[in-house]
Amino acid sequence: MGTNYQGTAEEVGALDAYIKLMRCTTSVTGRILPRLQKAGLTVSQFGVLEAIFHLGPMCQKELGDKLLQSGGNITMVVNNLERQGLVVRLRDEIDKRYILVHLTWRGSEQVKELFPEHLEDVRGIFSVLNLEEIEVLNNLLRRLGKG
């Protein structure tokens, strides 16, 4: 479904692309979400766990920047993960001003268990595209995201 807006070709094209991008995002998230919900996680919570698992401990601001989430939202996400025993906040050994979010053993085990299944879900969703199309999509999304 595209836009019914009657404007210039550029306006209609931009609105149409925006609608398709939002619908695609909702559709893809909807297909990823059930497995995460079964594990008791939101998409944002899994994003935090996965980021720390692959990139190492980081402060909440870095997490928010990586996941494009506000400070308030990332605080709530980390609070909930901490309550579940999946992360812990610890002062940085070198610079005591920084509090870093670390995975607990339980959090690490949960990511190790979930990530291969998540990756398989993502790979399955993107299997309708060939590698060249995925590369083109990646380049277009990067350009669009940088504005």
Side-chain angles (χ1 to χ4, degrees):
M1 175 178 172
T3 182
N4 291 318
Y5 177 73
Q6 302 296 312
T8 66
E10 187 176 288
E11 291 170 338
V12 170
L15 282 171
D16 218 19
Y18 175 76
I19 290 166
K20 285 177 176 63
L21 179 63
M22 296 288 77
R23 289 176 58 86
C24 178
T25 300
T26 301
S27 172
V28 168
T29 301
R31 287 182 270 168
I32 296 291
L33 194 56
R35 188 180 307 276
L36 298 179
Q37 286 177 327
K38 186 176 175 186
L41 297 171
T42 65
V43 171
S44 295
Q45 289 171 336
F46 182 73
V48 167
L49 295 175
E50 192 269 334
I52 297 170
F53 183 79
H54 286 105
L55 301 173
M58 60 184 87
C59 70
Q60 287 184 190
K61 178 166 180 4
E62 289 174 292
L63 281 168
D65 291 347
K66 292 264 182 231
L67 300 172
L68 300 176
Q69 296 197 7
S70 69
N73 190 348
I74 207 72
T75 296
M76 180 184 66
V77 170
V78 171
N79 285 346
N80 289 333
L81 288 170
E82 197 169 39
R83 245 183 254 114
Q84 294 177 45
L86 301 174
V87 300
V88 63
R89 293 175 174 110
L90 299 171
R91 288 213 179 269
D92 184 58
E93 302 259 332
I94 297 166
D95 188 341
K96 303 290 186 197
R97 294 174 298 172
Y98 289 103
I99 297 175
L100 300 176
V101 181
H102 295 256
L103 286 179
T104 61
W105 177 85
R106 187 169 161 226
S108 181
E109 290 301 306
Q110 183 143 19
V111 175
K112 285 178 191 174
E113 180 182 320
L114 278 175
F115 187 76
E117 297 168 345
H118 174 74
L119 179 58
E120 185 58 30
D121 288 345
V122 171
R123 193 198 60 71
I125 290 166
F126 280 84
S127 68
V128 299
L129 304 175
N130 64 42
L131 288 176
E132 185 179 306
E133 290 169 326
I134 289 173
E135 187 175 322
V136 168
L137 179 62
N138 283 332
N139 289 331
L140 291 171
L141 292 172
R142 190 177 304 110
R143 280 178 46 201
L144 187 61
K146 288 182 178 181

